[in-house]
Amino acid sequence: MPTDLTVILQDRPGELARVGEVAGSAGVSIRGLAAMTGEGRGIVHVLIDDDALPAARAALADADLSIADEREVLVVDVADRPGSLGELTRTLAEANVNVDLAYTTFGAVRIVIATDDLASAREALA
């Protein structure tokens, strides 16, 4: 399963570039990304393949970048048309699954879903 890493950065130019460079130097492909700033910090969610997790952990630690959280996530194919997000998340809501993180991936039309109830989310979307 894919893994979402939450990396906390300083809110200054070049920090996001550093994450990309560190991952690339370690041979880790970033499959999706969400980044925001607030209160003087940058918060970055990085989607990586599960088998890249050990290399990503080591490379980020070597670069003094801390992982605040790591979690298994769902990556769901969605249709590229109006209403797709609403349909997908309504299905999850009807299964009583609360989405606490969502962002898109690079390349295809897919959405990353994080929830504290992955089993119910998988079942609802099967």
Side-chain angles (χ1 to χ4, degrees):
M1 291 301 293
T3 299
D4 172 84
L5 299 178
T6 305
V7 180
I8 306 299
L9 307 171
Q10 293 184 25
D11 184 8
R12 66 178 185 212
E15 287 294 274
L16 186 56
R18 190 160 67 114
V19 171
E21 292 163 351
V22 165
S25 293
V28 174
S29 292
I30 296 175
R31 304 297 185 189
L33 177 100
M36 65 240 31
T37 61
E39 300 179 11
R41 298 183 307 159
I43 299 169
V44 180
H45 288 272
V46 180
L47 180 69
I48 62 170
D49 295 325
D50 203 34
D51 60 353
L53 191 53
R57 280 185 194 132
L60 290 168
D62 287 347
D64 292 322
L65 293 168
S66 62
I67 297 172
D69 190 29
E70 69 179 61
R71 63 196 295 190
E72 180 183 349
V73 293
L74 295 176
V75 178
V76 182
D77 290 318
V78 293
D80 185 8
R81 61 173 173 70
S84 293
L85 175 64
E87 292 168 6
L88 173 79
T89 52
R90 176 58 54 207
T91 299
L92 292 171
E94 289 172 355
N96 201 36
V97 173
N98 184 46
V99 175
D100 53 43
L101 173 67
Y103 58 91
T104 58
T105 64
F106 300 133
V109 181
R110 300 184 308 170
I111 188 167
V112 178
I113 301 286
T115 177
D116 62 359
D117 190 357
L118 281 176
S120 293
R122 281 190 190 103
E123 184 178 317
L125 298 176

